[in-house]
């Protein structure tokens, strides 16, 4: 645990340089999000809404109906 805490708190120059290099090389990621981010968000929201609309309306699930008073015991057979 001590090694993990020491590594997590290590803010030396080398660690800072590694983080800077990592962020500098993420240009492709920024271009992807700028180009496709909003269409992906809209298509995902549309897909999610369509699936839930289908589930709510077409599957025949009885939503939150209480069985109290509706379940009757069967007659005893001898």
């Amino acid at each position: 645990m001590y090694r993990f805490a020491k590594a997590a708190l290590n803010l030396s120059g080398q660690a800072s340089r590694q983080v800077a290099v990592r962020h500098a090389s993420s240009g492709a990621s920024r271009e992807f999000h700028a180009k496709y981010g909003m269409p992906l968000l809209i298509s995902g929201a549309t897909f999610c809404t369509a699936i839930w609309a289908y589930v709510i309306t077409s599957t025949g699930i009885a939503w939150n109906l209480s069985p109290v008073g509706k379940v009757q015991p069967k007659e005893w057979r001898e």
Side-chain angles (χ1 to χ4, degrees):
M1 187 67 180
Y2 173 73
R3 289 182 193 170
F4 177 73
K6 185 177 176 183
L9 295 175
N10 183 11
L11 297 177
S12 68
Q14 183 181 3
S16 300
R17 283 190 297 274
Q18 287 176 348
V19 170
V21 167
R22 233 179 265 144
H23 285 291
S25 66
S26 66
S29 175
R30 288 186 188 138
E31 290 174 14
F32 177 83
H33 288 293
K35 189 173 183 181
Y36 301 111
M38 190 56 68
L40 277 175
L41 181 66
I42 292 170
S43 64
T46 303
F47 178 77
C48 184
T49 303
I51 294 299
W52 276 109
Y54 171 77
V55 168
I56 290 170
T57 59
S58 299
T59 57
I61 297 174
W63 296 93
N64 295 325
L65 297 177
S66 175
V68 175
K70 296 179 182 178
V71 177
Q72 299 295 326
K74 293 182 179 179
E75 292 294 326
W76 183 262
R77 291 185 285 173
E78 290 187 29

